[in-house]
Amino acid sequence: MKWGMQHIEGRDLSSLRLLGSVGEGINPEAWMWYHEVIGGKRCPIVDTWWQTETGGIMMSPLPGCTPTKPGSCTLPLPGVCPEIVDAAGDPVEPGEGGWLVMTKPWPGMLRGIWGDDERFVETYWSRVPGKYLAGDNARQDKDGYYWIMGRIDDVLNVAGHRLSTIEIESALVSHPAVAEAAAVGRPHDVKGEAVAVFVTLKSGEPNDALKDTLRKHVRHQIGALAAPDDIHFSAALPKTRSGKIMRRLLRDIAAGRETVGDTTTLEDYTVLAKLRDDE
C-alpha cells in the first residue's frame, strides 16, 4: 500500500489463486486492499495465527470453506482448543478481550526450552495454571471468530482504561494518508501511560495540521482516550527480517530511553538511527 500502485499496474495477476498473511496481525484496511488489489476480489485470504512455539498454524480460515472477516484469523484448526480468559484464568464473556490460552495439547506442541526447563514453565504455564499462555490478547465475537488484539505487553493502560494497540493502529491506517502505524505507551505522570504512535504516510506532508487530523480521526473511530498524545512520522518502522514491528524499540524511543536488549533480529539499523535523530 505504501509503495503505491505503480508496482501493480500493468502486471498480470490472474494466476494467483490463494493469498496468505503471517507475522503481524493484518488490519481490516490492509486486508481489503490485499483482497481487492492483489487478489482481484476472487482469491481467498488465509489470515493465520500461530507462533514459532506452536510448531504450525493454530487458527486460520480454510480457503474456500470458511467465510472470512477482514482482520480476523477466524476459527481454530482441528485439534486446537483456544480459550480467552481474564487475569484470574476464568473465561470471559463473548466480545470481551482477554488472554489467549490453549486448554488442551495440540499437534506439534512444544515440549520445553532447550536447557531451561524453569523458563519454559515460567513463561508459558505459570500465569494461568494448566493452560498454555500464548502471550496475546484476543476476543471472540458472536460467531465464534477470534480477533487477535496484540501482545499482552502491548495493551496500554490509559487513566485506568485498557486500550488495544491493534485497534489504535487499525484506526490510524483507515485514514487515507496513512500506510502503516505502530502504537506504544510511554510513562505519563497523570494517566499512567500516554499513547505514542509512529506513522508512515502514503501521501501528505508530515506537519502539525496532519497530526491534529489524525488525532481527531482516532477520537472519532475509537474514543477520546485513544487519541494519541504523541505522533511521530517516519519513513519506515523498525522490523525484524520476518516483518514484525519491534515495538519494544519504539517504546524506548517514545520514553526517551536508551535501547537495551537484543537487536540482532532488526532488519535495518538505519531506521532506528533515523528515528532517534528525529527526536
Side-chain angles (χ1 to χ4, degrees):
M1 291 168 64
K2 179 176 71 175
W3 292 343
M5 293 293 292
Q6 68 270 21
H7 299 286
I8 301 163
E9 290 168 345
R11 266 67 176 185
D12 180 8
L13 305 181
S14 62
S15 64
L16 292 178
R17 294 184 300 161
L18 179 66
L19 304 179
S21 175
V22 301
E24 285 284 307
I26 185 170
N27 64 67
E29 188 80 8
W31 195 101
M32 289 304 300
W33 180 90
Y34 196 27
H35 172 63
E36 294 172 1
V37 176
I38 305 300
K41 300 183 180 180
R42 58 184 170 72
C43 297
I45 295 178
V46 180
D47 181 4
T48 62
W49 178 84
W50 58 287
Q51 299 175 302
T52 303
E53 296 95 324
T54 64
I57 296 169
M58 300 287 274
M59 290 191 276
S60 168
L62 297 175
C65 299
T66 309
T68 52
K69 297 184 182 184
S72 170
C73 58
T74 67
L75 301 169
L77 296 180
V80 176
C81 301
E83 190 174 60
I84 299 172
V85 302
D86 58 23
D90 298 319
V92 302
E93 294 295 320
E96 288 186 20
W99 293 351
L100 178 63
V101 299
M102 297 295 148
T103 62
K104 295 182 181 179
W106 64 90
M109 180 177 168
L110 75 171
R111 297 175 61 188
I113 294 176
W114 179 259
D116 200 344
D117 290 338
E118 289 184 11
R119 184 182 173 195
F120 175 64
V121 174
E122 174 65 26
T123 302
Y124 301 105
W125 304 97
S126 63
R127 293 173 77 174
V128 185
K131 297 175 182 178
Y132 170 84
L133 179 64
D136 282 335
N137 283 288
R139 63 179 176 85
Q140 191 177 19
D141 67 18
K142 60 181 176 59
D143 298 320
Y145 279 42
Y146 286 83
W147 299 75
I148 305 301
M149 299 167 61
R151 299 293 292 168
I152 289 172
D153 295 340
D154 289 340
V155 171
L156 310 182
N157 194 332
V158 179
H161 295 265
R162 291 170 64 82
L163 300 174
S164 162
T165 56
I166 281 187
E167 287 180 307
I168 297 171
E169 292 163 6
S170 294
L172 284 164
V173 173
S174 71
H175 189 279
V178 177
E180 195 168 36
V184 297
R186 66 161 175 82
H188 190 280
D189 292 339
V190 177
K191 297 190 290 186
E193 277 191 301
V195 179
V197 299
F198 294 80
V199 173
T200 300
L201 297 178
K202 280 191 290 189
S203 60
E205 290 297 319
N207 52 42
D208 289 341
L210 184 54
K211 286 183 180 181
D212 188 51
T213 298
L214 293 178
R215 284 193 184 96
K216 290 177 180 176
H217 183 72
V218 174
R219 186 180 293 116
H220 175 73
Q221 293 279 323
I222 305 176
L225 277 168
D229 297 83
D230 307 330
I231 297 179
H232 308 267
F233 294 110
S234 172
L237 299 176
K239 296 180 181 179
T240 65
R241 284 179 287 278
S242 63
K244 291 181 182 291
I245 297 171
M246 297 185 75
R247 289 174 178 81
R248 169 175 59 84
L249 305 182
L250 294 177
R251 280 195 292 269
D252 289 341
I253 292 170
R257 297 188 297 258
E258 286 297 315
T259 300
V260 295
D262 186 10
T263 59
T264 55
T265 59
L266 183 61
E267 181 182 36
D268 185 352
Y269 285 89
T270 63
V271 172
L272 196 59
K274 182 68 170 61
L275 282 169
R276 289 207 173 278
D277 288 343
D278 290 342
E279 290 305 299

